[in-house]
Amino acid sequence: MTQHNLFSRTAHAARSALRPGTGRRNQAKRPRLRLPRKPDYPRTGRRGWRRWVPSWRLVVGSFLMFIATLTTVVGIAYARTDIPKDLNAFATQQDTVYYWADGTPMARTGWVSRQEMPLSKIPDDVRWAVLAAENADFYSDHGISTQGITRALWRTVGEGDTQGGSTITQQYVKNVYLSQDQSFSRKFTEMLLAVKLDRHVSKDEILEEYLNTSWFGRGTYGLQRAAQAYYGKEVTQLNASEGAFLASLLKGASLYDPAINPRNHDRAVKRWKWTLDRMVEIGKLSPAERARYTTFPEPKPPHKPNGTAGQDGYLVQLAEAYAKRAAHISDARFDLGGYQIYTTFEKPRMTALTRAVKEARDTLDPKQRKADRHVRFGASSVAPDGRILAVYGGPDFERQAFNESNAGTVPAGSAFTPFVYAAGLEHGIARERNGPRTSVTPSTVYDGDDDIPVMTPEGPYWDRSGKMVKGQNDGDHSYGRISLHDAMAKAVNSPFLQLGMDAGLKQVRSTAEASGLLPSSFGPPVPAFSMGNSTPSAIRMADAYGMFAAHGMHTDPYSVRKVTRNGEPIRLNLPQAKRAVRPAVADEVTASLARPGGASGVALASPVAAKAGTTEDDTARWYVGYNQAASTAVVVYRMDLTKSLAPLPLKGLGGDSAAGEKLSSQIWNTYTEAMTK
């Protein structure tokens, strides 16, 4: 190799060691950090709808990112969630206090009761009846159940099976630590607490506390009190059959307590059978023992509330029902107690009304006269603004819970005719089918004779039996041509039977409903509708007549004006006044009913508007009257509750017809006189 060639190769090697264009020595390449690639979405290189179909890498990546985020969030939430030290209010239940309208205490009730019972004393069959119905996998789950949660979600869109979505641990957490609302945050917290509780507390401890704190209806918390309330025995004496029924109550006593209504009984029997079959399915009850339980273990009737003897029980019954409805308080929540119920009942009126009924009752002799047996008195006094001031519900709530003042069991009879008169004055009449309506005035004349046919545009009205319907006056008296005002003042029935047909029974019904009578109490739409084939309660009749005193404005009757719990007010939806008829119409009815003196020879203490009411078959006698302070309705009837709700004839009541006929007006007058002194 020549010296020139050697030099050329050396120079070439030196040049190649330099970076091109820089003259600097080439160095080894250093790895560079890569930035995350932007997701290729919509996808490049694709056309049409394929651009919007994500790649499998994007789908998997997104899923893994979601799982990682969810795991992190749940982990942080779990770490920050502590088991509360304080239980809910059920551990410190209180009485509920009812107050008179003047604010003084009226009654005190304490339905809620709870008694601890060790798990070791609860029979295995009873324990497993609850587990079979609520959470058969309790001893193997981890506080929550994926299958249960999925099943609960499925039940929101379909039938699902009969089990709920929450484990017993979750139910216990909800009952003793959390509220009963259905929000997602509450459910999420419930699940976290359930898992944490399951890790720190034994299964037996959780089950024991659950069985001692769950609500079983009838004001009871825990199996021990439930056993006493439904079967009158200790929980240690229960068998599998009784335990299966009590387990059904955990789904909601308002749905499964047979004492509430007949449909509950059917549901309870089905649930009871299913629970026993479920126990066999999970191996906790042998088929042979299951075969022994073929008859549903009927629970005993519920006890009556404490402190509700005499008339107070009827008042508490009315106020409790109204408070729950108007304040949207569930049975379970109300049974926790701690409420202050301020009623509209006035003690002086209650005393006077009770005394008036007692004096009338004392004139009867059921031991000597058969007609004086099973006599019932329903009475109520309602203010024109809807406040229920007083009621007479029966002889004693603890002996008879059937509230005679609130029972729609007997027809209104001719006490209904003021609403027919009001309908005619308000809507006019039409004597031709689809013809024009003409106005009615107090001086409009009708035929007031007895036994006159009821006419339609096509002729006389015939009932389904082929009998011509005719108007009947009390005492078979005939009055000839008479104005509607005078017919109402003299209690002539036949004009109002015809007026009801002329005005239209639909118009009469709508007027009566607007006045306060319940649609459920209305009788069939036949001519007798105008003569009171409907069966309103004394409370509703007093309230409806109060509409006339309020110059045509009606307010639904109510018995509670305020509710608080531990001093904090609870929103109460009180009724609002609505126009029922024009003021002139209401005032005319009042003018026609004005009574300077009473019916049946009983003098009134002061001028008022009043109406007596009788029925064609003489099964009820009403007297309803009002002034600007109150409207009072009294009904006397006979009914043997041990046999049926069918009213019995009043013939012979009090020993002679005169005494029996004036019994309702006597009660009304005695009460009214006492309140005007």
Side-chain angles (χ1 to χ4, degrees):
M1 181 180 297
T2 63
Q3 185 177 6
H4 175 73
N5 290 338
L6 179 62
F7 176 80
S8 298
R9 290 184 179 183
T10 303
H12 178 72
R15 284 196 301 272
S16 63
L18 298 174
R19 292 183 181 179
T22 64
R24 289 182 291 183
R25 187 174 297 278
N26 191 20
Q27 298 178 355
K29 292 184 178 181
R30 297 179 181 177
R32 291 183 297 174
L33 294 175
R34 287 189 177 184
L35 295 175
R37 291 179 60 186
K38 182 180 178 181
D40 184 21
Y41 191 81
R43 301 176 68 181
T44 58
R46 305 283 178 132
R47 294 177 180 274
W49 61 270
R50 292 181 177 83
R51 294 187 64 210
W52 304 98
V53 178
S55 66
W56 68 269
R57 293 183 180 87
L58 182 59
V59 172
V60 173
S62 299
F63 177 76
L64 293 177
M65 180 66 71
F66 171 78
I67 293 299
T69 303
L70 181 62
T71 302
T72 302
V73 171
V74 172
I76 294 173
Y78 179 82
R80 298 181 62 180
T81 299
D82 295 321
I83 299 174
K85 295 181 180 179
D86 297 324
L87 302 182
N88 270 337
F90 75 87
T92 56
Q93 299 97 350
Q94 305 170 62
D95 288 343
T96 290
V97 183
Y98 295 80
Y99 297 89
W100 292 104
D102 63 2
T104 57
M106 181 184 78
R108 184 182 299 270
T109 61
W111 279 76
V112 179
S113 60
R114 182 171 71 90
Q115 181 178 335
E116 295 284 347
M117 179 61 64
L119 189 65
S120 59
K121 293 187 176 181
I122 298 176
D124 287 344
D125 284 345
V126 176
R127 181 196 314 182
W128 277 105
V130 172
L131 293 175
E134 294 295 312
N135 187 186
D137 299 323
F138 170 74
Y139 280 100
S140 60
D141 66 34
H142 298 288
I144 61 174
S145 169
T146 304
Q147 291 181 349
I149 295 172
T150 303
R151 183 168 55 245
L153 292 174
W154 173 251
R155 291 185 66 195
T156 63
V157 295
E159 289 284 336
D161 69 31
T162 53
Q163 288 183 286
S166 297
T167 64
I168 278 180
T169 307
Q170 287 177 262
Q171 293 180 49
Y172 171 68
V173 166
K174 179 181 67 175
N175 290 342
V176 303
Y177 297 126
L178 305 176
S179 67
Q180 301 294 314
D181 67 84
Q182 299 298 318
S183 66
F184 174 81
S185 60
R186 199 277 298 160
K187 191 69 176 178
F188 182 66
T189 304
E190 171 191 305
M191 295 171 64
L192 293 177
L193 278 173
V195 173
K196 179 158 286 191
L197 192 70
D198 189 78
R199 292 188 59 187
H200 292 83
V201 181
S202 71
K203 288 288 189 180
D204 281 350
E205 287 178 293
I206 294 173
L207 181 59
E208 178 177 304
E209 289 301 313
Y210 172 78
L211 295 177
N212 281 317
T213 57
S214 293
W215 185 69
F216 288 83
R218 299 190 182 181
T220 61
Y221 283 82
L223 265 175
Q224 169 67 357
R225 288 300 189 192
Q228 295 171 343
Y230 289 90
Y231 291 110
K233 60 176 69 173
E234 300 293 306
V235 67
T236 55
Q237 300 172 307
L238 296 177
N239 57 33
S241 178
E242 295 162 336
F245 164 72
L246 294 180
S248 70
L249 298 171
L250 294 168
K251 286 292 183 187
S254 60
L255 294 175
Y256 293 96
D257 185 351
I260 296 178
N261 59 56
R263 287 174 296 183
N264 278 16
H265 189 278
D266 295 338
R267 279 191 289 262
V269 172
K270 291 179 182 178
R271 184 72 179 176
W272 165 76
K273 290 179 179 178
W274 178 87
T275 301
L276 291 174
D277 292 339
R278 178 71 171 156
M279 291 178 69
V280 175
E281 181 182 334
I282 64 176
K284 297 302 177 180
L285 188 69
S286 68
E289 189 172 5
R290 170 65 182 91
R292 291 171 45 197
Y293 303 125
T294 57
T295 303
F296 179 68
E298 295 286 351
K300 57 189 291 189
H303 291 295
K304 298 177 178 63
N306 299 323
T308 56
Q311 294 300 305
D312 289 353
Y314 303 110
L315 303 182
V316 168
Q317 184 186 62
L318 289 171
E320 178 182 326
Y322 189 84
K324 289 178 180 177
R325 183 173 67 254
H328 305 289
I329 305 172
S330 68
D331 290 342
R333 186 67 180 168
F334 193 87
D335 280 347
L336 293 176
Y339 291 93
Q340 296 80 45
I341 311 295
Y342 295 88
T343 74
T344 61
F345 306 124
E346 297 182 0
K347 190 173 183 179
R349 288 186 176 274
M350 277 297 304
T351 302
L353 187 58
T354 303
R355 183 181 295 118
V357 176
K358 184 179 184 303
E359 289 179 7
R361 189 186 292 275
D362 288 345
T363 64
L364 303 178
D365 189 357
K367 293 183 178 180
Q368 299 297 324
R369 291 191 294 267
K370 184 178 180 180
D372 288 358
R373 299 170 190 169
H374 310 299
V375 179
R376 306 195 177 276
F377 302 85
S380 177
S381 194
V382 180
D385 61 5
R387 290 174 293 120
I388 303 176
L389 305 176
V391 300
Y392 181 86
D396 190 314
F397 183 79
E398 300 217 345
R399 289 192 286 119
Q400 176 195 296
F402 180 77
N403 189 341
E404 294 165 2
S405 71
N406 199 34
T409 52
V410 294
S414 56
F416 187 85
T417 55
F419 306 112
V420 181
Y421 188 24
L425 294 171
E426 182 77 12
H427 302 288
I429 60 175
R431 290 196 171 100
E432 296 180 5
R433 190 73 64 191
N434 300 320
R437 300 187 78 85
T438 59
S439 61
V440 168
T441 68
S443 59
T444 299
V445 175
Y446 270 75
D447 192 338
D449 283 344
D450 184 61
D451 208 31
I452 59 170
V454 175
M455 302 300 292
T456 70
E458 292 76 26
Y461 185 97
W462 301 81
D463 63 20
R464 292 184 177 180
S465 64
K467 181 181 179 181
M468 183 185 295
V469 177
K470 298 180 179 182
Q472 301 290 329
N473 293 327
D474 289 343
D476 299 330
H477 294 305
S478 291
Y479 296 84
R481 304 290 289 176
I482 187 172
S483 70
L484 289 175
H485 177 93
D486 289 343
M488 181 59 65
K490 296 178 180 179
V492 185
N493 293 335
S494 55
F496 296 102
L497 190 64
Q498 184 62 54
L499 178 62
M501 298 299 291
D502 295 345
L505 296 182
K506 287 186 178 179
Q507 300 292 357
V508 174
R509 177 186 170 114
S510 67
T511 301
E513 184 174 348
S515 301
L517 300 189
L518 295 175
S520 59
S521 70
F522 289 145
V526 296
F529 185 81
S530 297
M531 286 295 104
N533 63 8
S534 302
T535 57
S537 66
I539 291 176
R540 284 287 171 174
M541 279 293 277
D543 176 67
Y545 269 66
M547 179 273 294
F548 299 123
H551 307 290
M553 297 297 292
H554 169 255
T555 307
D556 275 336
Y558 63 99
S559 57
V560 177
R561 57 185 177 84
K562 185 176 71 171
V563 176
T564 61
R565 189 168 193 271
N566 297 327
E568 293 295 324
I570 295 176
R571 182 179 178 182
L572 201 65
N573 294 326
L574 294 179
Q576 301 297 315
K578 296 180 181 179
R579 173 66 62 188
V581 297
R582 289 179 285 115
V585 171
D587 293 345
E588 163 53 27
V589 173
T590 297
S592 68
L593 295 177
R595 292 288 189 268
S600 303
V602 180
L604 299 181
S606 61
V608 294
K611 179 75 174 73
T614 57
T615 60
E616 185 177 1
D617 55 2
D618 194 28
T619 55
R621 294 170 189 169
W622 290 82
Y623 200 82
V624 191
Y626 59 91
N627 54 25
Q628 292 303 308
S631 172
T632 303
V634 180
V635 60
V636 179
Y637 61 102
R638 294 178 63 234
M639 183 177 293
D640 187 353
L641 292 177
T642 62
K643 295 182 178 179
S644 73
L645 294 178
L648 303 172
L650 290 171
K651 183 178 180 180
L653 178 66
D656 62 84
S657 59
E661 287 175 2
K662 67 181 183 181
L663 207 56
S664 55
S665 59
Q666 174 187 326
I667 294 170
W668 189 93
N669 185 72
T670 301
Y671 165 71
T672 303
E673 187 177 38
M675 297 313 303
T676 54
K677 286 182 179 179

